Every structure is written in structure tokens, then in C-alpha cells.
Amino acid sequence: MEDWVFFLLSITLCIALKILLSKLANTTHKKPNLPPGPRFIPILSPLQWFRLTLFDIEPVLRSLRTKYGPIFTLHFTSSPTIFIADRKLAHQALVQAGAAFADRPPATESGRLLSSNRHNISSAPYGPLWRLLRRNLNAEIIHPSRLKLFAPVRRWVLRILVSKLKAEAEAGGGVVAVMESFRYAIFRLLFLMCFGEKLDEKATDDIQATMRHLLSSLAKFNVFAFLPKVTKIVFRERWNLLLVLHKRREEQFVPLIRARRERKQQQQQHGEGSFAYAYVDSLLDLRLPEEGGRQLSECELVSLCSEFLAGGTDTTTTALQWIMANLVKHPGAQKKLWEEIEATVGSDAEEIVEEDLQRMPYLKAVILEGLRRHPPAHFVVPHAVTEDVTLNGYLIPKGAAINVTTAEIGWDGKVWEEPMEFKPERFLAGGSGEGVDITGSKEIKMMPFGVGRRICPGLGLAMLHLEYFVANLVRDFEWKAVEGEVDLSEKLDLTVVMKNPLRARILPRRNE
């Protein structure tokens, strides 16, 4: 009997001890919580945030950062969205833990349609398809050796741009409104790089108009991320508009792709005529090993070509306008740049070429300061995590969307003195931005192209185009304010643009 009682007591004590140790372990190794943020209320919380655009939400995010700290959570849907508003935390996440943070959130209904079910670089999940598409772009088109081959195209587009500006100035008493001319020139440049062909002005305008209409409507299509089966019925006209624009894009792009395929085959078989290699040519040769080694479909080719054009046109155009606006607003900086140009190439050169750009440190400083002060996008394209991760003591759950406040990081007063002022000198010797690495590999001081594994692959291309056009535009013209101060107020378009587009008085510097 005593043995039986002893046995029961022993079992009871063991069970109690196990429970106690389990509780202690749970207390000691308690799973971290999500970053703090406003309380999530099903249905109501998503509706609250969907009423705001990313531009409208910036003041809200600043107040949330003040209240909750540099990392906080919002619920646009039932899945959490984490905002990171600190350069060091951004580096820990996107660079140090880059593989875990390199995915993309699930695509919306409209996103899947426009990207051919995520078969493009920006929206593809982190994995073999994304690596294949990105590697192809880097190696075949934007590698420095390839970019040199497009020098004649850049020269041709520069002549078009200068002619348009001169014609507008003559018609407007020396005054030009530059945004449309900038956009037209950059689009034609990228179109030639993409398809290797020159279209007439009307055909170019038609394609650009379709893309502008589609991209400017994207904010309207965000509603389909919320209860898509319902919203596609409630907002039937929006969904029909998306289908119409998607079809129109295919009707414009598919004939170009087919013609290019045929011309490439003729060149390979017979060596007929001249053939300038283009982005679409590299895509025609691709095979998808993870999908049975098949070729890209025509719809997927349309999505990739559209991504190439859209990804480079508005961002570069916007950055170019901001930089020129600041050179108008700060004539001392423009004079200093002009003097560097004269000292580097003299007054007889027909144009400033790529080799000349490498010898202009102040030009590079102007470009970097423009990108720091006015990044075309104020947030990186959302990331998603591939596994549960702990960041700054908080849980970042698998699948959570990650947003990083690009603009706020570039305006950090702890890094930059008078961060809201335009001071290119900060990037020269002795300045706080001397030797800054905009890829953020070692540390992040500014990140206009993002950082980490999902950094914009077109970084080098964008920097080349900005340096090339700014240098040549300052060489050809003196840029002056039309009246009063240049207004640097912002608004959200496809990118964050000037609320009142730049108008300037241009005076030719050279006698033709």
C-alpha cells in the first residue's frame, strides 16, 4: 500500500514538475509579438487604409513613427504590413537578412493579370524565375559593355530633346515646360533599347498614351486586393477598364514582338541587314527550367517589355525634372556644374559622352543630391518575408509585407546636415556624403533604388541617363527661373512629382 501511494506521489510530482518547467520555458522563450501599431478591426481597418494613397498616408506614418517607434504594424488586409522607418533596421532586414526579406507579397487580381501571373522581375517570387529574369536583364542589356552599344541611340534621343526644347522656347518667348519633353525623350530611348526599332512619332505617342493610362489607373485597381470576388462586381466598370487597357497593350506590343522574332530569325539564317540587339531579343531566347524548359508566352513577353518601359520612363523623367528644377532654383550650383563641364570637354565637343561623365565629380554630386532630396518613389516596392524572423525584438511573421520609407531615410537629420536643403557639396571630399554607397551594402544613408537582393536592377542605367542628360542640357542651355521662386511642392502621380511642373527660361549657350 505504501509503495502504491509512493508511486502515485512520484507520478504526480513528475507531472507537476513537467508543467512547471514547461511554463518556465514558455516564459523564458516567449514568442515575440508583432511590432506595435493601431488595433486591427476586421473589415473596418482595411477600409480605413484603402481610402488613403501612399502619398496621403505619409503624414499618418510620420505620426505613427512618433507614437510607436521606427518599426510598426498596419493592417491593410488581415495579413500584417510592417513599416520600417529607420536606416539601421532597414539594413538589418534588407541586407543582413536579405534572403529572408527578398520575397514579394501575393499579387492582387489586377497585379496577376498585368504581370502574366507574376512573370516579371518586379513581382516574381524570390526564386529561380526571378533569378533567371534578373540575370538576363543584367547580362544582356544593362551590363556596362552592353550600355556602350546604345551610345548612338542616346545621341539620337538627345538631339530630339534639344530640338523639342528649342522649338518650344521659340514659340513661348524662351520659356519651356519640360516634363512632357523629358518623358517623350526617355520613353523613346527605352523603347529603342527594348525593341531595337524606331517608330514614327504617332505610333510612339499611342503606345505611351496606353501605358500612361494604364499606370495612372493602378491606384483605382488596388480595390481588387480587398475581397476580389465582391469588389470585381461592385466596381465592375473599373474591372472592365483594366481588361480594356490590358487588351490594348497586347494589341500594340504583340505585333512588335512578332516582327522582332521574324527579323531576328532572318538575321540568324541569312545575315540580312543591320541588326541592333535589344531587350526583347534576349527574352525570345529564354527558357524556363522550372516550367519544363518552355519559352516565354507572348503575354509574358508583353509584361516584361512593359515593365522595362514603365520602370525606367517615369522614375528617370521625374528625377531629371527634380534635378533641373533645383539647378534653376540654385543658379550657383548650375554655374559650378557649367564650369566643370567647360573644364572637362571644352566648348568644341559635339556632345558630352560617357567617358567624359566619369571625370565630373560635381555632376555626380548633383545627381546624388537630387536623388537624396527628391527620390521618385518614397517607399520601396513592398517586400515579403519567407520565414518567421525577429527584428528589433519583434516578430516579423512569414508572408508579412514589408515597406521601407525611402524618402524619410534619405532625410535623416542624424546623417545629413540640413537634410531638406539642396547641397551637392555634401557628396564631395569632406562632406557627410563623401563616398556614399547608394547600394547600401555596408550601411544605408540613402536608398533611392532600394537595397539588398531586390535593389532596382536598373540603377546603373538610371544613373547613366541622368548624368548624360543633365550634363548635356546644362552644356547646351542656361536655365533660369521664369518668375519668383521655383516651387518644389510635391504631389503623387505615378511617382512623386512636382506639384507645379517646372517652367524655365532657357538661353542657348552655344552659337550653332
Side-chain angles (χ1 to χ4, degrees), residues 34 36 48 88 95 132 160 178 190 245 275 303-304 332 370 376 438:
L34 284 172
Q48 173 190 2
K88 292 183 179 179
V95 178
L132 175 68
I160 291 175
V178 301
L190 292 174
L245 292 174
F275 188 81
S303 295
L304 284 159
I438 57 174

Side-chain angles (χ1 to χ4, degrees), residues 37 68 148 175 249 268 280 328 358 413 483 491 499 512:
Y68 296 110
K148 291 181 180 179
V175 177
R249 185 181 69 169
Q268 291 172 339
V280 71
V328 173
Q358 303 309 312
E483 54 186 25
K491 73 171 185 177
K499 185 175 181 179
E512 297 295 337

Side-chain angles (χ1 to χ4, degrees), residues 181-216:
S181 295
F182 285 177
R183 182 181 289 118
Y184 178 81
I186 297 299
F187 184 82
R188 295 210 76 169
L189 172 54
L190 292 174
F191 188 90
L192 248 172
M193 293 180 69
C194 185
F195 291 104
E197 307 290 345
K198 295 180 181 178
L199 294 183
D200 60 46
E201 188 165 342
K202 182 181 184 307
T204 303
D205 287 344
D206 288 345
I207 293 173
Q208 188 176 6
T210 297
M211 293 196 61
R212 288 286 301 170
H213 193 177
L214 180 58
L215 292 171
S216 64

Side-chain angles (χ1 to χ4, degrees), residues 293-358:
R294 70 172 179 86
Q295 291 180 289
L296 290 162
S297 69
E298 286 185 337
C299 290
E300 290 162 350
L301 290 169
V302 170
S303 295
L304 284 159
C305 291
S306 179
E307 176 187 51
F308 183 83
L309 294 171
T313 299
D314 277 279
T315 51
T316 304
T317 301
T318 298
L320 182 58
Q321 181 183 216
W322 279 119
I323 292 166
M324 296 308 300
N326 274 285
L327 290 176
V328 173
K329 187 177 179 67
H330 301 90
Q334 184 180 165
K335 182 174 184 292
K336 190 170 182 178
L337 177 55
W338 160 248
E339 291 171 348
E340 180 179 73
I341 291 170
E342 283 288 280
T344 303
V345 301
S347 56
D348 297 327
E350 183 179 346
E351 67 166 327
I352 300 170
V353 297
E354 287 77 355
E355 291 74 17
D356 300 324
L357 302 176
Q358 303 309 312

